[in-house]
Structure formats: C-alpha cells, structure tokens
Amino acid sequence: MTALWIAVLLSSVACFALKLAGHLLPRHWLAEPRVARTAALVTVALLAALVAVQTATDGGRLVLDARVPALAVAAVALALRAPFILVVVLAAVTAAGLRLLGMP
Amino acid sequence: MPRVVRVNLADPLRAARRQAVSVSVATGLYGVSFGALSVASGLDVAQTMALSLLLFSGGSQFALIGVVGAGGAVGAAVASAALLGARNALYGAQLAPLLALPTSRLLPAAQLTIDESTAVATAQPTRAAARVGFWWTGAGIWVLWNLFTLVGALAGDRLGDPRRYGLDAAAAAAFLALVWPRLGGPQGRTARLVAAGAVLVALATTPVLPAGVPVLLAAGVAVLVGVLAPALPPTGPVNDDEARPAPADTARGTGEGGTT
C-alpha cells in the first residue's frame, strides 16, 4: 500500500473516531468551555497556517509570486460575501492571468 | 430517514427540509474545487473519492491534500486532518442530547456530523425538526459533495500542470474561505490574533522544518492561547454550553461556506 493510501485511510479512521466519540462520550467532558474554545482556536490556527504555507512557500522556501495577488482578490471577494466557489475561481483566474503576463 | 411526528409539526419540518436542501446544494457544489485540487496535489481519483466518501469533512480533506501537496510526511498529513476534525467531536456532543437517536442510528449519524448538519439541526425549534434538519443536511451534502468531488477530480485529471490554471492559488483561497467566517465580529478578536500568530509561526519555520510540521506547530499557538487565557470569550461556531447556538452563529456557519 502506498504512503498516500495510508494517509487517506488513517485520516478517515481518525476523523470518524472523533465524530463518534462526540456522540458517545459523557457530555460534560466536552462541555468544558476551555475545551470548546481551544478546539475552535486550533481550527483557526491550522487553516490560517495552511493559507500562509499554500500562498507564500514552495518546497521549503518562502516565495512571493502570483499567488499573493490572487489571495488578495479572494479576500476582497470574501469581504463582499461572494460564495465559496466564486472565491476559489477568482483566485485561480487571477493567478493564471498574471502568470500568462509573465509573473512567476 | 427518522420517524418523525408529523401532526401539528408540518411547518417546522418543511422549513427544516428547505433549509437543509439549500445548504446541501451550496456546500455540495464546492466539492468540485476539492476534487480538482486533490488530483492537482498528487492524489489519484480513487484516493480523492475515498476522502470524500470516508473522511467526509471538508476542512480535514483540504488540510490533508495541502500537506501532501507540499511534500509533507504521512504523519503530518494525518495529524493535520485529525486536529481539524477534532471540532466534529464537539458537534457530536451538542447533537447527542438534541437528536436523542437510537443506538442503531449512531454510526451513520456520526459520519454525517459536520459543520453544516450541526448548524442546521441546532437552529430548529423542535426535536423533530432538528432530526429532519440533521439527516437531510448531512445526507444531502454527503451525496452532492461526493458527486461534485468526482466531477472535479475527473476534470482536474485532464488539466495537466496545476500552476498554469492557478490551482495552487485556488487552494490558498479555499483555506482562506474556510477560515474567514471564524474571524469576524467582536468575538473573533482572539481568533484573529491566533490566526496572525499561526501565519507567523508557519512562515518562520517553513525554511527550517520538514513540510507539514510548520502547520502543526502553528496549531500549538492555538492550544497555548486556548488553555492559558481563561477570561477570553469563546470563538467560532461552537458554543460552549448551549445545545442550540444563537441564530447569528448558525447563519455564519451555513451561509458563508463553513468547513464541511
């Protein structure tokens, strides 16, 4: 089995176990405000870090290329309450267009 | 589908179903972007479909392909996906007393426990409507998310170099869209600080650590703040001790493409 399949299946099992645990665990275990707040913040931190890595790094190096203006366009679209799919498409079109014009 | 009492409750049930269908369509559609980005980051169509069918949690799915696409190891990819999936455990704890499901329904209910099904269920006025909202949203998104993942994966497979089409930027935009609803409002202040800290940590450590590890390290920022800062108000769509979040929370969770 390839490493990718292992990652796919292990993640699936782990995420299902987490979902099921919520339904089965005694409620007060997870009702502790600090647990709820930490979980919400972990979600924010992971997604924010993924934005940064996906926008400004390439193979372990920091780089500035067409992805940065594309992300700015996405942010404007989000501020204007555009739907998810449109935000993603606008970012792709921006980056593709800028690269067509010679930007790395 | 659940056995629901239909006498005198037709209106809340119909409203729940209508809400469920509109959320399902909106969320299911962006399965296209997941499918296309997944094959662009190196997974094949079968692996992409396995994620949507089995893992079925948008944030975790995007995180896994993000770490894999950056060249991260299996351990880092699984850890990122699981950490992002941890909030589903909190949703399950909110839903269990609200839905009061028989044991035979627990496994499918667990699989369908995601941002949107929780938001729709907790917004309903009665238990019967909450059940209808949960099942219709969960099952509706599961079907459409997988259908559109397949469409995106098959299309992405034929595209060639993903950078030419800006798909690397699209992945960044997808993460931004997932985190955006969690940063708004006065309660988002802590979240914005944590997000800024996470960005700094991830960028500062990327040149010196293996791929995938900077993202996990950034999660450490959140754990530190969450555990050490006792006086701060809760953030994000999870309310600490309410079985039913405020309507504003629910609207934010469903209307702006919350993490599936």
Side-chain angles (χ1 to χ4, degrees), chain A residues 45-57:
Chain A
L46 282 168
L47 292 172
L50 285 162
V51 171
V53 168
Q54 190 69 46
T55 305
T57 75

Side-chain angles (χ1 to χ4, degrees), chain A residues 22-95:
Chain A
H23 284 267
L24 293 178
L25 286 179
R27 189 156 174 253
H28 62 264
W29 285 19
L30 296 171
E32 161 79 22
R34 203 169 289 195
V35 172
R37 187 185 58 215
T38 304
L41 290 177
V42 164
T43 301
V44 166
L46 282 168
L47 292 172
L50 285 162
V51 171
V53 168
Q54 190 69 46
T55 305
T57 75
D58 187 15
R61 286 172 308 121
L62 299 183
V63 288
L64 291 178
D65 60 19
R67 289 174 293 173
V68 177
L71 193 75
V73 168
V76 171
L78 283 165
L80 296 174
R81 303 184 157 269
F84 185 98
I85 194 84
L86 181 63
V87 171
V88 171
V89 169
L90 282 174
V93 168
T94 305

Side-chain angles (χ1 to χ4, degrees), chain B residues 34 37-38 41 43 51 60-70 175:
Chain B
F34 172 73
L37 294 174
S38 180
S41 50
L43 279 76
L51 282 178
S60 297
Q61 293 180 226
F62 276 111
L64 188 139
I65 64 167
V67 172
V68 163
F175 287 123

